[in-house]
Amino acid sequence: MEWWDQCKRTAEEWPAVDQKRTNMVIALDAAVSDDTFGSWMGCRHPELSEEVLTIYAQKWSPKPGQKIDWMGTEEEPGPERVMERLISEYNVIQVTYDAYQLHDLSMRWKKKGLVWFHSFNQGNDRLISDSQVRGLIRDRKIWHRGEVDLRDHVQNADAKVDTEDHKVRIVKRADALKIDLLVCMSMGSHQVLYLNI
């Protein structure tokens, strides 16, 4: 957590980002019930090309005994409504996602032609991205503003080392804890750097 807290930057340190011109990636890790729906959006630092800025992070949790309302209301927008707003307000070039719970949503959005959707492989690619995001945090190359939910999800995580390849897999410290926003940041920051945007 000391590494993570060192990644927080003040408003004075934060670079100017043109939301209509800067290429953004959104990452989604979804659930319908019993877990949270996480979303993260980020981009490359405009001057430090190996560093990643967290522009947005939000989670949605289902009410007890209910499922997450993906559209929500104007007063309490759900993840689908918020993602459509972000796509319209920012230069989002890709939405990367865990296909397990998001296949239907991605198909609807693909039909609308909103943005390029990329199903993020949860096997070896996740090992690579989880190892990479750990390095970004360690080296203070991921920027954030101290988002509370994101910090909670980082704190809820452990690193499980793959004995064969010595790569890190992000896992929950306990079954009841949530790490969806960290998983989103892992997938999203990987794509930001991989796409060289």
Side-chain angles (χ1 to χ4, degrees), residues 123-168:
N124 193 54
D125 289 352
R126 260 292 301 285
L127 283 174
I128 292 168
S129 71
D130 288 357
S131 298
Q132 181 181 47
V133 80
R134 184 177 187 271
L136 290 171
I137 294 168
R138 180 196 62 222
D139 299 338
R140 205 169 176 245
K141 290 186 174 183
I142 193 137
W143 292 47
H144 65 83
R145 294 181 174 95
E147 295 84 350
V148 174
D149 289 335
L150 183 54
R151 186 181 193 280
D152 288 346
H153 286 206
V154 171
Q155 194 163 31
N156 291 343
D158 270 342
K160 181 180 179 182
V161 179
D162 176 85
T163 54
E164 189 173 311
D165 293 328
H166 303 291
K167 292 188 177 96
V168 169

